[in-house]
Amino acid sequence: MKAELAEVSWEEGGTRRRALWISESSPLPRRVVLADDTTRANEAFRLAAEGTSLLYRGDYHNARQLLGAITRRVKDAKHTGDLARDFQLYRQRQGREAQIAGKLLVEVDENFVIPMRRAPDLSKALREAWISLPRPALVPLREVLGTVGAHEWRENGVDVPALGARVHPHFGVFAPIRGEYVELVAQAPLNNAKLAFDIGTGTGVLAAVLAKRGVPKIVATDSDLRSFQCANENITRLGFADRVEVRQLDVWPEGRADLIVCNPPWLPGRPTSRIERAIYDLDSGFLKRFVLELKDHLAPGGEGWLVMSDLAERLGLRPAAMLPELFETAGLVIRDTLRTTPRHKRANDREDVLHVARSQEQTALYRLAPR
């Protein structure tokens, strides 16, 4: 934790209390009132919807039940039949749920203990997420629960068939649960690459796949500190530290590579939390930068692998002509395109408002080379 941590204050027991404020997505509370086991869900929802935060003092499991009750009161948007509009309504609903649910707070002390009746020991999960607490903090309960889920991912790992091993994501780092894009990188022809860059490495999974395929030197970059630490840990655990160097960089390392791989965020839009930056790319800014600057970082005869879902095109969020026009502007040609279809649960969920687009989604690996 660093100096940017803010403080929140509230009245309790006739005194003014203060604590650190920790949240990945919720703004600093403007007003905090106390809630307990007698607080009704309707009243809690009303206060949260009006912008009041509720600090829960009581039973931990009752707090969880109240959180569920508040969340269920956020109404689903009606389907319009227009996929682009339905997606916007879906995002608005997600945002409203996060905003309201994020108002239910719990206190975490400097030892990562939640001072509530029947509160489990979550100190390991909380410490993994935040490293240290110089003093007590208030945290949205939904984010506390998020650290628990992230801890389970980190402990158990994600099976990656292309590696014959598991990759262990950290809190705030997107897990490689959509294995189809990993398999594309495992199958594409390497053309005797001696040096590869993996841009936006995340967990380090694609760098590890390239190492397993025999690329002797890979430089993996990510601007996010958590991703940098996560990738380093995974690369070491997998036994590829002698071939893969992980660097915390904005985008590009120095020099030119025979192969440059990137799986950028696939949906244009504004991320509302740190982890959403792996999914949403405002105005496709990262995508555009990678493609437009790719040529300047390729060695003679080298190629770039852009791994992209076409869900944005199917939702009407990005024109179908944008990628070909971007390649043309960047002075790139497509040597080959490998495609696959998703196998995640949502692709077959007919209750999903975006089912039509998800069921037709394809993920492509574009092999790009200078014209």
Side-chain angles (χ1 to χ4, degrees):
M1 309 311 297
K2 296 184 181 178
E4 70 267 11
L5 286 176
E7 281 194 338
V8 59
S9 64
W10 71 97
E11 293 286 342
E12 184 173 1
T15 62
R16 195 74 181 169
R17 294 196 55 192
R18 305 182 72 85
L20 295 175
W21 172 244
I22 294 181
S23 175
E24 298 287 312
S25 56
S26 295
L28 183 72
R30 295 175 296 169
R31 178 172 178 256
V32 178
V33 300
L34 299 182
D36 58 26
D37 300 337
T38 66
T39 303
R40 301 280 186 172
N42 285 340
E43 176 66 5
F45 178 79
R46 182 187 67 79
L47 288 168
E50 292 173 353
T52 297
S53 296
L54 298 94
L55 172 57
Y56 204 93
R57 298 300 200 193
D59 183 87
Y60 176 83
H61 295 284
N62 288 346
R64 287 193 60 173
Q65 289 183 353
L66 183 61
L67 177 64
I70 291 172
T71 302
R72 288 191 295 273
R73 281 163 170 76
V74 181
K75 294 182 179 179
D76 289 323
K78 294 182 179 179
H79 300 184
T80 68
D82 179 329
L83 281 174
R85 177 59 179 158
D86 284 345
F87 177 77
Q88 296 303 327
L89 293 173
Y90 165 79
R91 286 290 286 163
Q92 289 171 17
R93 198 270 184 201
Q94 277 189 318
R96 180 163 170 75
E97 179 182 314
Q99 179 184 43
I100 291 175
K103 299 298 183 187
L104 185 60
L105 315 178
V106 296
E107 185 173 1
V108 179
D109 72 16
E110 60 271 28
N111 296 312
F112 295 96
V113 172
I114 300 173
M116 296 172 68
R117 190 169 64 255
R118 291 203 297 165
D121 181 3
L122 305 179
S123 58
K124 188 172 183 180
L126 296 172
R127 198 180 301 275
E128 286 174 351
W130 304 320
I131 302 175
S132 68
L133 283 179
R135 55 190 184 280
L138 298 192
V139 188
L141 177 57
R142 73 191 300 268
E143 296 190 34
V144 168
L145 299 178
T147 69
V148 175
H151 171 69
E152 291 173 354
W153 278 115
R154 183 167 178 170
E155 286 281 295
N156 299 327
V158 178
D159 184 47
V160 181
L163 286 173
R166 303 182 80 81
V167 165
H168 298 257
H170 289 193
F171 175 79
V173 181
F174 196 76
I177 52 177
R178 294 188 55 163
E180 62 268 13
Y181 79 92
V182 180
E183 290 176 10
L184 288 175
V185 172
Q187 295 164 4
L190 277 174
N191 293 341
N192 201 33
K194 301 299 184 184
L195 171 65
F197 296 161
D198 174 22
I199 306 299
T201 193
T203 60
V205 62
L206 297 186
V209 168
L210 294 177
K212 183 175 177 64
R213 295 191 64 189
V215 178
K217 177 66 176 177
I218 301 113
V219 178
T221 70
D222 206 298
S223 62
D224 180 68
L225 176 60
R226 285 174 175 161
S227 295
F228 166 73
Q229 294 171 334
C230 178
N232 253 324
E233 183 179 295
N234 279 311
I235 292 300
T236 300
R237 186 197 299 261
L238 292 166
F240 296 132
D242 60 332
R243 298 191 211 172
V244 180
E245 179 184 358
V246 184
R247 299 183 190 173
Q248 188 183 4
L249 293 173
D250 183 26
V251 178
W252 302 106
E254 70 278 1
R256 293 173 178 262
D258 307 303
L259 173 64
I260 302 178
V261 177
C262 183
N263 173 221
W266 61 93
L267 292 175
R270 185 183 297 278
T272 59
S273 65
R274 244 170 114 166
I275 198 166
E276 277 200 348
R277 291 184 297 187
I279 305 170
Y280 294 98
D281 182 12
L282 185 61
D283 298 324
S284 299
F286 186 90
L287 169 64
K288 292 174 183 175
R289 180 177 177 185
F290 174 78
V291 173
L292 293 174
E293 296 179 2
L294 174 62
K295 189 176 178 180
D296 295 331
H297 298 272
L298 283 172
E303 63 183 40
W305 292 357
L306 175 67
V307 186
M308 281 292 292
S309 160
D310 67 355
L311 185 61
E313 286 80 359
R314 295 186 183 280
L315 290 172
L317 305 177
R318 185 162 54 223
M322 183 189 134
L323 272 183
E325 290 174 357
L326 192 58
F327 298 157
E328 177 71 20
T329 301
L332 300 169
V333 295
I334 301 174
R335 283 181 175 171
D336 190 17
T337 305
L338 286 72
R339 297 185 188 275
T340 188
T341 55
R343 296 182 295 277
H344 56 83
K345 292 181 181 179
R346 285 188 171 184
N348 299 310
D349 182 5
R350 294 185 177 275
E351 299 301 315
D352 184 351
V353 63
L354 307 177
H355 170 71
V356 172
R358 293 194 201 276
S359 64
Q360 299 172 357
E361 178 187 3
Q362 292 189 337
T363 299
L365 185 153
Y366 299 97
R367 296 177 55 207
L368 304 170
R371 190 183 306 115

